[in-house]
Amino acid sequence: MAAKRNSRFLLSSVEFFNGELGEGEGIPVKAVITAGGKGVGLRPLTCNKPKPLLPVLNKPIMEHLLQHLAAQGFLEIAVTLQYLPELIKGCFGEGQLYGLRLYYFEEISPLGTAGGIKNAESFLDQTFLVIPGDNLVDFNFQPALDFHRARGALATLILAGTGAGAGAGRGVVVDQDGLVLDVETSRESGRERIAPNFISTGIYIFQPEVLQYFPREAIFDLQADLLPLLLREKRPVYGFPAGGYWCDIGELLQYRQANRDFLNGRVKLPVSGRQVLPGVWVGENTEIHPTAELKAPVYLGSNCYLEQNVCLDSFCVIGNNTIIKSDSFLKDSIIWNNVYLDQEVQLKGATIADHVRIKARAVVHEDAVIGYDSVIGQRSVIRPGVRVWPSKVIEDNVSVCSSLVWGQRMGKSLFGLFGIKGLMNVEITADFAAKLAAAYGSSLRAGAKVVVGADGHQFSQILKRVFTAGLVGTGARVVDLGQVTTPVTRYAVKSLGADGGVHIRQGRPAPTNEVVIEFFDQNGINIDRSMERKIENTFRQEDFHRAGPDQIGEITFFPQLPEAYQQALLRLVHIDRIRRRRFKIVVGYEDPALAMLVTPLLEKLGCQVAALHWTPGSREEDLAQVVGRAQAHLGAGLDSNTEVLTLVTEEGKVVGDELLLALVALIYLAGERAATLGVPVTAPDVLEQLAGESEGQVVRTKVNPRALMEATSGAFQPLFDAVYLLVLVLDYLARKGCTLSEVVRLVPPFHIHKESIFCPWEEKGKVMRKLVEEAREQRAEMIDGVKIFHEYGWVVVLPDADEPVCRVVAEAQSQKAAEEMAASYVLKIKQILESA
């Protein structure tokens, strides 16, 4: 018989033993729970959690065991520890919660199943039970104790039938009276033996005298060393088949089976939570959308949230504080605590540890295991049987076919194109914000002045308060602006003479479950890469400056800043000239609260304002229709952060992104003083033509906010300000006495087409090298990505900073030619990726 452990077995009754049992002295007796093993067979689940703490039906295995022993009258229990002992002590304390008294005995180095028990010798002064801390059992131990006493046994093995499965434990041969005749050990060579009629569960009843056979401070195993020794000396060793459920959880297969058996009702132990439907248990404060589907058996812990159309298709165990977003599908899967599943995630027979985040449309297949605090990217696939060790990041669109053990978490930078972005209260939490604030404050000069603002979202405001507290802890002086937009925060940094600024907002387009934290330098523009690295290194190394009691920073509240920002804008333009035009404007607000900021400003300019609340998905069309019906001079759409402006002419035509950039260039460069405008390498060539007709100039830059802002001079503030741009447009129209349509027609025609193609992060360098090599005989620029010039146009291939894609932008003499040129480079990139 194979010398393996770990299986499950269901016994219905004691089938033999007709001998007389004693009267039954009853429990109490003492017990020993052996909880020192490393659980190698359960990795990566046991990389940072000892086996006894692995949850079965949302409760640690050892907690089930303690509650079961307490219910049977055990009052004092010794626990032998070696691997991660403090976690077990911290979980169970002294046992008062279970009506027990726990005593801990810790091994310096592994001593085997028996060696650890020897450490508890002074405690074991009466008959005692030994049970592994990774066993899930519902045995009634009283009959076994009665049998042990009636036989006058020195040791009694709790047995299971050989039907428990091949390799389910060490074989044991007993006679009709229960006397053990032979035991199988892993250290024996293949000698002839009687076929075993039972297997050992690894649970024993001992008399204290047995401890004299245990060597001190030596590796010693109960089955391999102690039992053969006792049999050789003809000591009374018996075996007793206990009726009930037993599962020795030593491998992932057994761990998953134990959860299934519990859900099936085969384990006769209490289930926490309410049974709301047959086979469906739900914990406290869990919200389930009416359209979610739960197919029994299913267990849901406390404080969970299931969105619309989520399906739990049988044998799913969901831990506490777990969020499952819409249209996700789970079958036969185990999820621990604090897990986040984004939209359309699929789990099929998977096991997910604590604090894992799985992004939209990812798939995790059968018998795959995701370790603690790992991140699975969008549309990624974890193949069957793959084990992902703790704190790993799987990037978007990756197929993982083999286990991921080595490597570091956070392979990418914290910072993206616009600061730091992450899922609200999942990737960016209050704890994260406090640590980030400490890193930022530690990266500034002592006593620095920092402006902090946030949009009106509840979570943004919470993060702002946490961030502010973290900053003053480093000695920074904080100006709290309250609820403002990003442009107002930028303005505040400059006008208040601050050393830097931070703005916290919802991601775009709103509403979204993402949050963005942006950092500004003393000029109100996004910080440079060297400052990003400084913050990131301080964050990772946790090398924070902690101010002394006399150096704690102060907080100043300045909610009047939006009014000061409005007055500054009005000083930029000729107010009376704009008033004489009596503009009628339709303003679309993504966030209706912005009307309180923008409408009064426009009214001071003599404008008649009609407000429109945009609905996501049809914003431009709605705005254009209302402009036409109202016979307005123009329409202006403002995103929730007033950074993106959408313009609609009096003729109801929407000004597209590139055309808007050209329009801004025309208006800005035609100002009353010379100016320089930073434009991305992907902008149309007509911008240089427009600059040539004025005293200003355009400068081509990288496609990132700081580069564009640094290159722009003479501006009130960075042109990432929709309200500022709208005021400039009104002033230009008033000065020229023309309509918006007439200004748009001043921009020469151009033709641009954009494409994107998936490109793994690790392949981006290869793609760019190949394209540069191919362009050696052509004119090319590498301001950002590679820009390749052709006879009738150009193409820019740009690796995206935030996603595993390459962007392809082409300009040509016709729209068809631009589309064909972009498509040809998409094909080139595909061929490079497919090449060996």
Side-chain angles (χ1 to χ4, degrees), residues 140-153:
N140 179 0
F141 292 109
Q142 186 62 64
L145 285 164
D146 291 343
F147 174 85
H148 174 83
R149 290 171 178 140
R151 294 296 189 269

Side-chain angles (χ1 to χ4, degrees), residues 641-721:
N641 202 42
T642 69
E643 285 192 296
V644 179
L645 175 66
T646 298
L647 285 179
V648 176
T649 70
E650 78 282 1
E651 297 173 349
K653 294 181 179 179
V654 178
V655 179
D657 292 342
E658 283 75 25
L659 182 57
L660 178 61
L661 177 58
L663 188 66
V664 168
L666 173 65
I667 294 171
Y668 180 68
L669 296 174
E672 296 176 354
R673 57 179 179 175
T676 300
L677 178 65
V679 298
V681 294
T682 54
D685 288 344
V686 297
L687 271 64
E688 277 84 1
Q689 182 179 336
L690 294 172
E693 297 170 0
S694 68
E695 295 185 9
Q697 64 174 330
V698 297
V699 176
R700 296 280 172 169
T701 75
K702 290 179 178 293
V703 185
N704 70 64
R706 180 174 176 87
L708 295 169
M709 295 175 194
E710 279 187 308
T712 300
S713 65
F716 162 67
Q717 70 169 15
L719 297 180
F720 288 78
D721 183 341

Side-chain angles (χ1 to χ4, degrees), residues 337-583:
N337 298 330
N338 301 291
V339 172
Y340 179 89
L341 306 185
D342 210 336
Q343 297 177 353
E344 299 180 44
V345 165
Q346 295 186 45
L347 304 184
K348 305 171 183 178
T351 304
I352 313 296
D354 295 324
H355 295 281
V356 169
R357 297 177 295 286
I358 302 181
K359 297 186 179 181
R361 292 176 288 284
V363 180
V364 184
H365 283 286
E366 293 82 359
D367 299 321
V369 182
I370 311 299
Y372 171 87
D373 196 35
S374 290
V375 179
I376 309 301
Q378 294 184 38
R379 297 177 296 277
S380 289
V381 178
I382 309 300
R383 296 296 179 186
V386 167
R387 302 186 188 187
V388 177
W389 255 241
S391 301
K392 297 293 181 289
V393 174
I394 307 298
E395 303 295 354
D396 296 347
N397 303 288
V398 172
S399 180
V400 182
C401 301
S402 59
S403 294
L404 183 61
V405 180
W406 307 111
Q408 297 295 317
R409 188 183 187 279
M410 301 288 279
K412 291 172 59 185
S413 168
L414 278 177
F415 287 84
L417 199 58
F418 287 92
I420 296 173
K421 180 173 68 173
L423 294 171
M424 202 176 289
N425 210 28
V426 177
E427 293 173 316
I428 296 185
T429 63
D431 291 343
F432 178 92
K435 183 178 173 183
L436 183 62
Y440 178 51
S442 301
S443 303
L444 298 169
R445 67 176 179 85
K449 184 178 182 179
V450 181
V451 168
V452 181
D455 67 13
H457 193 281
Q458 180 185 14
F459 192 69
S460 301
Q461 290 292 318
I462 291 170
L463 289 182
K464 176 170 67 67
R465 290 192 284 271
V466 172
F467 205 96
T468 298
L471 280 173
V472 298
T474 66
R477 296 171 294 137
V478 178
V479 180
D480 186 340
L481 302 179
Q483 178 180 337
V484 293
T485 62
T486 300
V488 174
T489 301
R490 293 185 191 276
Y491 172 76
V493 174
K494 291 190 298 180
S495 63
L496 298 178
D499 294 280
V502 177
H503 189 80
I504 303 169
R505 62 175 174 85
Q506 249 189 319
R508 286 195 295 261
T512 178
N513 60 353
E514 286 188 325
V515 63
V516 179
I517 303 176
E518 291 187 87
F519 296 82
F520 311 131
D521 66 10
Q522 68 274 15
N523 297 312
I525 69 177
N526 293 48
I527 59 174
D528 60 25
R529 183 63 189 124
S530 65
M531 185 60 173
E532 289 179 349
R533 281 195 293 267
K534 187 175 182 180
I535 296 169
E536 188 167 331
N537 290 337
T538 305
F539 179 88
R540 299 206 188 287
Q541 297 166 12
E542 300 191 16
D543 186 18
F544 305 139
H545 170 69
R546 301 297 187 187
D550 299 331
Q551 298 173 318
I552 297 293
E554 60 183 13
I555 303 173
T556 304
F557 294 94
F558 199 164
Q560 304 88 354
L561 215 289
E563 178 63 27
Y565 165 77
Q566 287 187 30
Q567 293 302 320
L569 279 175
L570 292 174
R571 289 194 292 270
L572 296 173
V573 297
H574 198 299
I575 297 176
D576 290 338
R577 187 166 61 198
I578 296 175
R579 283 176 174 168
R580 286 194 294 270
R581 284 293 305 269
R582 301 176 62 85
F583 285 112

Side-chain angles (χ1 to χ4, degrees), residues 31-300:
V32 178
I33 295 176
T34 56
K38 291 186 177 181
V40 174
L42 287 160
R43 287 180 179 174
L45 298 178
T46 52
C47 287
N48 48 11
K49 190 189 290 283
K51 265 197 302 185
L53 295 189
L54 265 58
V56 173
L57 228 60
N58 204 33
K59 187 186 295 183
I61 301 168
M62 188 168 152
E63 184 173 346
H64 287 294
L65 188 54
L66 290 174
Q67 289 177 335
H68 185 54
L69 291 174
Q72 296 205 28
F74 290 86
L75 301 178
E76 294 184 287
I77 298 177
V79 183
T80 65
L81 304 173
Q82 199 276 320
Y83 178 62
L84 302 175
E86 296 305 320
L87 294 183
I88 294 177
K89 292 178 184 178
C91 184
F92 302 113
E94 296 180 353
Q96 299 97 321
L97 188 63
Y98 311 100
L100 299 167
R101 181 72 174 90
L102 298 182
Y103 303 84
Y104 296 102
F105 298 89
E106 189 172 338
E107 306 167 36
I108 303 300
S109 59
L111 298 176
T113 56
I117 299 170
K118 182 69 172 179
N119 288 340
E121 186 170 13
S122 60
F123 168 77
L124 300 172
D125 55 2
Q126 58 179 273
T127 303
F128 61 93
L129 176 80
V130 174
I131 186 168
D134 58 1
N135 273 206
L136 184 67
V137 297
D138 61 9
F139 294 161
N140 179 0
F141 292 109
Q142 186 62 64
L145 285 164
D146 291 343
F147 174 85
H148 174 83
R149 290 171 178 140
R151 294 296 189 269
L154 177 64
T156 296
L157 288 64
I158 306 297
L159 304 176
T162 55
R170 305 286 188 259
V172 179
V173 181
V174 299
D175 67 11
Q176 254 191 330
D177 196 38
L179 185 68
V180 174
L181 304 177
D182 194 12
V183 294
E184 183 181 44
T185 75
S186 59
R187 298 177 186 169
E188 295 177 317
S189 59
R191 66 177 175 86
E192 289 189 11
R193 59 166 72 250
I194 305 172
N197 50 1
F198 288 95
I199 59 172
S200 173
T201 63
I203 305 172
Y204 303 88
I205 301 169
F206 289 123
Q207 292 303 112
E209 303 91 87
V210 79
L211 295 171
Q212 65 183 303
Y213 293 95
F214 290 38
R216 188 170 296 280
E217 298 300 328
I219 297 175
F220 195 63
D221 184 78
L222 294 177
Q223 182 89 12
D225 297 309
L226 176 65
L227 293 182
L229 177 59
L230 295 179
L231 292 178
R232 286 197 300 271
E233 296 197 4
K234 308 296 185 182
R235 299 307 306 271
V237 178
Y238 284 84
F240 181 85
Y245 179 89
W246 163 65
C247 182
D248 180 2
I249 303 172
E251 295 180 359
L252 289 166
L253 177 64
Q254 282 72 46
Y255 174 70
R256 292 182 53 76
Q257 188 61 51
N259 280 273
R260 290 179 64 91
D261 289 343
F262 222 137
L263 283 172
N264 265 334
R266 303 183 72 188
V267 185
K268 307 305 179 185
L269 294 175
V271 177
S272 56
R274 296 178 299 116
Q275 187 169 192
V276 296
L277 294 169
V280 178
W281 290 267
V282 178
E284 297 180 355
N285 302 318
T286 285
E287 297 183 31
I288 303 171
H289 193 276
T291 61
E293 184 179 8
L294 277 60
K295 298 180 181 179
V298 164
Y299 181 94
L300 275 165

Side-chain angles (χ1 to χ4, degrees), residues 782-803:
M782 281 168 280
I783 296 173
D784 199 3
V786 57
K787 185 173 186 177
I788 304 164
F789 293 87
H790 295 266
E791 184 178 358
Y792 300 110
W794 50 258
V795 173
V796 174
V797 178
L798 189 69
D800 194 277
D802 293 327
E803 298 180 36

